């Protein structure tokens, strides 16, 4: 999970990791940090960024889990970042357990 998370840190065009691919016109976002922590059987993934697209966090999480499970390679994630118009990504983490902790202005 941590290796997959590191792939997404930085400024990237996340168009291929959003459900609303036609809008907004600006899909470049900066993720400053993604932390993965484990406490007993709970794994928490925390995203820090300047803004997120529709379902972006769920798609990134689903992608990271697929890599951790060996169902995809890190290169798949890198390719999607390099090719923002890649076909729709179907691997979306479920909304249950997702919570917004804090918004800073």
């Amino acid at each position: 999970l941590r290796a997959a998370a590191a792939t997404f840190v930085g400024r990237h065009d996340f168009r291929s990791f959003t459900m609303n691919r036609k809008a907004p016109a600006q899909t470049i976002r900066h993720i400053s940090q993604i932390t993965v922590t484990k406490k007993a059987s709970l794994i928490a993934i925390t995203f820090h960024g300047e803004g997120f697209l529709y379902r972006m966090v769920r798609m990134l999480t689903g992608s990271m889990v697929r890599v951790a499970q060996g169902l995809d390679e890190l290169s798949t994630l890198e390719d999607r970042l390099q090719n923002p118009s890649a076909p729709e990504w179907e691997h979306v983490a479920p909304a249950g357990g997702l919570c917004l902790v804090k918004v800073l202005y």
Side-chain angles (χ1 to χ4, degrees):
L1 279 173
R2 288 184 179 102
T7 302
F8 296 125
V9 173
R11 184 171 300 280
H12 303 285
D13 187 341
F14 286 98
R15 181 178 306 273
S16 62
F17 291 98
T18 182
M19 294 299 284
N20 190 359
R21 299 181 65 151
K22 294 182 181 175
Q26 180 54 267
T27 54
I28 296 173
R29 296 291 188 265
H30 181 257
I31 295 179
S32 56
Q33 182 180 18
I34 301 173
T35 58
V36 179
T37 55
K38 183 175 182 190
K39 193 174 211 178
S41 62
L42 176 71
I43 297 174
I45 303 172
T46 305
F47 292 81
H48 297 262
E50 66 180 17
F52 300 95
L53 303 167
Y54 181 63
R55 289 197 180 160
M56 177 179 158
V57 170
R58 289 177 56 198
M59 294 180 93
L60 296 179
T61 301
S63 302
M64 292 164 47
V65 169
R66 286 184 61 80
V67 169
Q69 292 174 329
L71 300 173
D72 276 316
E73 300 290 327
L74 280 175
S75 61
T76 303
L77 307 183
E78 294 164 351
D79 290 344
R80 291 191 68 77
L81 287 174
Q82 296 301 316
N83 183 13
S85 60
E88 273 190 41
W89 193 243
E90 300 174 3
H91 312 294
V92 182
L98 178 68
C99 62
L100 178 63
V101 175
K102 186 186 298 186
V103 177
L104 301 173
Y105 292 97

